[in-house]
Amino acid sequence: MTGPLLDIRDLSVAIKGTQILRDVSLKIEEGEIVALTGESGSGKSMTALATIGLLPQSVEVSGHLVLDGQDLGTLSERQLCDIRGRAIGMVFQEPMTALNPVQTIGAQVAETILIHTKTTRKEAEIRARTVLERVGLPADRFPLGRYPHELSGGQRQRVVIAMAIALRPRLLIADEPTTALDVTTQAQILELLRDLTRTEGMGLMMITHDLAVVSDLADRIAVMKNGEIVEQAPTRQLFEQMSHPYTKALFEASQHQADLPQAQCAPPLLRVQDVARDYPLPRRHPFAKRPYFRAVKGVRFDINHGERVGLVGESGCGKSTLTRAILGLDPVSAGQITLDGDPVYSSGQPNPMVQRQIQVVFQDPYGSFNPRHTVARLITEPFHLLPDPPQGAARSDAIAEALTAVGLSPDDAAKYPHAFSGGQRQRLAIARALIIKPKLIVFDEAVSALDVRVRAQILDLMADLSRHYGLAYLFISHDLGVVRSITDRVLVMQHGAIVEQGKTAEVFEHPNHPYTRALMDAAPKLPRIGGNGA
Amino acid sequence: MLAYLLRRLIALVLSLAVASVVIFLVVEVAPGDPASYMLGINAQPDTVAALRSELGLDVPKVQRYLTWVGGMLSGDFGTSYTYRTPISEMIADRLWISLPLALLALLLSTLIAFPAGLIAAARRGQGSDVGVMAATQLGVAIPNFWFAMLLVALFAIKLRWFPSGGFPGWDDPLKALKALTLPAIALALPQAAILTRVMRSSLIDIMGEDFMRTARAKGLSRRQALWHHGVRNALIPVLTIIGLQFSFLLAGAIIIEQVFFLPGLGRLVFQSITQRDLIVVESVVMLLVFAVITVNFAVDMAYAIADPRLRRRA
């Protein structure tokens, strides 16, 4: 055939007069992997949705989308339904919610086949079985009758991929397919996508915000900003040249190293001593003895005054359980957690004396604020932990100081959270943690939802604050690059136990435990070329 | 699934036991002695005592409770103080009206609500949605006894299609159904309006889910996606409301029964309370509790059928 598989020419999209995409042009050849990258709101997903014809109904579209010589813009909705799933397959970001919870995986994969071909249900199921094998879900462990809730995130993503490739589409669109997955799972899914593209001769449009993910996967990369493609080139060339300053900025921010103050040789602040935590499981029958699941097994570590400690591990490893115990939200089943010698949880309830010394910043900058409260009210919430919280002028001074410390203005106190961007909200969350002058701040995936450039700024802010206030951090993240940039020491957790700990640089350079090594190998890395990527 | 079923069954039996104790205690502590009420103010104390022993009111409470529960388990609900007839017979007669009436009303309301909710959700914001929502607003607002009177005025008095009240018995099933039609419509109207709104909002929630987008990406049209993936997921809240409505319809039809002169369960409770026929009150209330709990059990089972995730959970 002549011409590219997918040819997007001068695609523009506007919603109610607001330009979302501006003259986007992009070509994808058979068997080629093209990555679309950029920050949130840059128009990556819009380009994908436009290609598959699933834009919201109220948008105005101009330009040409040509697939295999056929202009998709001229097709009726009925014809588009025929294209979707047959000629174009799509994989979405959230494997946990992308599958219908009340249908078996077999039925959902077979559905793609049944919609587009004249087959019986039985034949469709046989073909579904073959496709599931192809994506690495063998029949003995994953019969067609399984339901999505019985599978892990990575397994669900395989089912979604199976649905998308069941009819061997010409083009596969993957919108952040691994963002919600652990690094080792991510590596497997990326490998699967690469393999499928090469062997089936599909074109792959890979959408991701993570430059490292695409650096050794994509043949070509297109960088988007504000609805425009600012630079596109073959992968190697792009990393070597980085002709557009925005590409360079993204690259630098992705491997940003915060300037940490020297770690002090201080006495231990937080001591976690042989902590275990059990969760009750449902009884097998009403009179059975209740079984327990040990989520955290004999964990022991210290955090010194002013020290930054990272905690890494994959989902389900017990990070969250341990965090809850450290924050005094849950009792422990065995062992003890103390801060400056005082237990965080004593005689059946959290110890308020200790709670005011530990504050937490969570991942989701949108979900962690009540939208109906002003900033002043939101960031003074921890004051309820104090025996006599500051009133009047003292209170306003505390608010102003906390807001200034995180790089916001004291005038912001009267505003509501919706007036702030994601990065600014995370600054607010840090201000809320700072306001009662804690000794330890727990960052629970606190920068995971942020764009790389914003993330770099927040990491710098954390380093500054640690320097100024002598704060100790417990930094929990699945992103090894971030942990490396902001911590002095790192703990690696697997199956509820700490399998390796040591100085961050040493653990990253010479991992001892096989699991740590597997994590490091699976983590996507940026090429050491171009810019200042040395 | 079996564990889930067993757990629910145990919960069912426990609820019934607790309910029986509560009902017995509440009715017992209510003021007013049935024997003196039946004999009037001028009755001699020894006559009252004689009646009390005849009615079995003089034995200790625990023993009376056990006799009552034991009787019910073997199908003997005791004898009415007022009518001196077996309560089981009285209840059976009334149940033959109340149960079909409730089922008919529920069927009607479901038949109206499902398509209406589906249309409103699928065409959200369009004319048909606005129309359906306005109709449900009206349906909730109109008192059903007034609506019942309008029905009688039109269909019974003016058009003479249906009888205006009374119940001829089930000897002629067609006649019986005709007698129940207008009351069932009057009962179904507000229920259908509520159910439509629940169905609509539940579907609209589901339509925003990621898996609906996945379904569209597979090549399903909007309508197919809604039908194949939306409806079953939207059913859980709808089932909850249907369960609640059935229990309400069974016992709560008292006003409609009054309007149509139907000797149903609602009227039986009302009459027994005014006549201090405590044992009838106890038994009917216990029966209603039984009905409510069984319906809830059925709804729980329906949940598990609709949603595989619940089969595993406690």
Side-chain angles (χ1 to χ4, degrees), chain A residues 52 54 57 77 81 84-85 88 90 92 94 97-103 108 111-112 115-116 147 149-150 163 283-284 286, chain B residues 3 6-7 10 209-211 213-222 224 228-230 232-233 306-309 311-312 314:
Chain A
I52 200 168
L54 284 179
Q57 283 169 329
E77 173 60 26
C81 278
R84 282 182 217 126
I88 308 179
M90 185 150 179
F92 296 97
E94 257 313 325
T97 51
L99 292 169
N100 184 343
V102 305
Q103 275 188 9
Q108 296 191 55
E111 189 178 31
T112 311
I115 302 168
H116 296 285
Y147 285 97
H149 70 273
E150 299 171 308
M163 286 179 353
R283 291 171 215 264
R284 252 170 243 116
Chain B
L6 204 64
R7 222 182 282 272
I10 291 173
E209 294 279 342
D210 285 351
F211 61 78
R213 192 182 53 182
T214 311
R216 296 274 287 136
K218 272 178 180 179
L220 291 168
S221 67
R222 283 174 66 83
Q224 284 173 319
H228 293 306
H229 294 277
R232 196 167 144 193
N233 275 292
D307 191 339
R309 287 168 295 183
R311 291 172 207 167
R312 284 264 203 92

Side-chain angles (χ1 to χ4, degrees), chain A residues 388-498:
Chain A
D388 60 322
Q391 304 288 340
R395 188 167 175 275
S396 327
D397 289 348
I399 295 170
E401 191 193 338
L403 287 174
T404 314
V406 297
L408 296 171
S409 151
D411 299 337
D412 289 331
K415 294 182 185 162
Y416 287 88
H418 66 80
F420 296 88
S421 69
Q424 287 172 326
R425 284 184 209 203
Q426 215 54 326
R427 287 176 190 267
L428 287 179
I430 297 173
R432 171 165 66 182
L434 275 181
I435 201 160
I436 56 168
K437 305 212 167 15
K439 290 182 178 153
L440 174 68
I441 299 184
V442 177
F443 292 100
D444 190 353
E445 299 281 4
V447 296
S448 303
L450 303 177
D451 280 321
V452 282
R453 289 187 303 165
V454 180
R455 188 176 76 190
Q457 293 162 9
I458 297 287
L459 290 175
D460 282 340
L461 171 68
M462 289 174 182
D464 277 351
L465 292 174
S466 176
R467 187 178 297 122
H468 269 102
Y469 295 94
L471 285 169
Y473 293 155
L474 177 61
F475 197 93
I476 299 154
S477 181
H478 70 282
D479 187 332
L480 299 175
V482 172
V483 170
R484 183 169 196 171
S485 91
I486 192 76
T487 64
D488 311 305
R489 209 149 54 81
V490 66
L491 314 165
V492 183
M493 199 165 177
Q494 186 195 20
H495 302 321
I498 289 181

Side-chain angles (χ1 to χ4, degrees), chain A residues 329-364:
Chain A
L329 298 174
D330 278 341
V332 294
S333 308
Q336 203 181 27
I337 303 174
T338 54
L339 189 94
D340 269 343
D342 298 318
V344 297
Y345 198 95
S346 61
S347 53
Q349 48 185 334
N351 183 351
M353 299 280 288
V354 172
Q355 274 202 314
R356 74 182 71 128
Q357 309 287 346
I358 308 179
Q359 287 295 305
V360 62
V361 177
F362 292 108
Q363 170 171 5
D364 185 0

Side-chain angles (χ1 to χ4, degrees), chain B residues 34 38 55 57 79-84 276-280:
Chain B
M38 282 160 76
L55 294 174
L57 291 174
T79 309
S80 158
Y81 298 151
T82 329
Y83 298 104
R84 304 292 177 102
R276 299 228 172 271
D277 203 342
L278 294 187
I279 189 153
V280 177

Side-chain angles (χ1 to χ4, degrees), chain A residues 251 484 509 526-530 533-534:
Chain A
F251 188 84
R484 183 169 196 171
E509 294 298 328
L526 281 170
R528 294 175 170 251
I529 44 173

